[in-house]
Amino acid sequence: MTVKVAEEMADQIIAAFPSEVKDYYFMRDGPKAPKGKLYAKYHNVIRSLKSGGLIEKTKNTVKPMNSESETNIDHYLNSLKHDNCTFNEIEVIWAATVNTRLNSIRKSKSTSETLLSWPSYKLPAGYRLVDIDFLTVQPNASSLMTVYPNYISKLIKLFKFKIKDSQSTKLVEDLNEENVLTENSRDCYVFYLLHALFVPTSKKTTRDDKGRK
């Protein structure tokens, strides 16, 4: 069931029973999967049927699409969010919907929101999905390192603007001093400071048997 079909069914229910509330049956939720009884019930039933062996699990049925003209891709996005796809299938869908996803990511307010919307990034082989995105943004680059020299100055400016902790800001100051660091030293600084730029979004505190942190 596509998002469009689910919404049409909800509209038909409301037309037949005007006292009903459409959001109960179907409600869009931005880039996330829609909410509502119809959509949830359909995917729960399909999942149960697959688990019970009553219908076959999807096997290499997703065909690649032209990422330059991503139209009518609800089916692919639904499969990505709800079906028990193999990683090979995920890669095919990822490439087919790359522009739609990247536009969604650009509108995200945080990395946490992006990972919530696209949890496949967190899979063990999620780095391969990052590669797909990277090659879309940088089609002429064979790897990150081929374009890295072009972005060093931008990274250093970003460090200066974003990094706040005192230890890391001292390293940023060293980076901004000309003719102090060798090229290799500068690169070590840059990659080390990336950890200060992408700080953890949550912290975990443990205590010993005496209650001390």
Side-chain angles (χ1 to χ4, degrees), residues 5-15 22 25-26 38:
V5 169
E7 186 167 19
E8 288 176 351
M9 291 177 64
D11 289 335
Q12 291 173 13
I13 292 173
I14 301 307
K22 180 179 177 179
Y25 297 96
F26 177 89
L38 288 174

Side-chain angles (χ1 to χ4, degrees), residues 11 23 27 33-34 55 63 70-72 78 80 83 87 90 92 101 119 153:
D11 289 335
D23 287 353
M27 181 173 63
I55 61 175
K63 298 179 180 179
E70 294 176 6
T71 57
N72 300 321
N78 293 341
L80 191 64
D83 291 352
F87 192 78
I90 291 175
V92 172
R101 284 184 305 90
S153 59

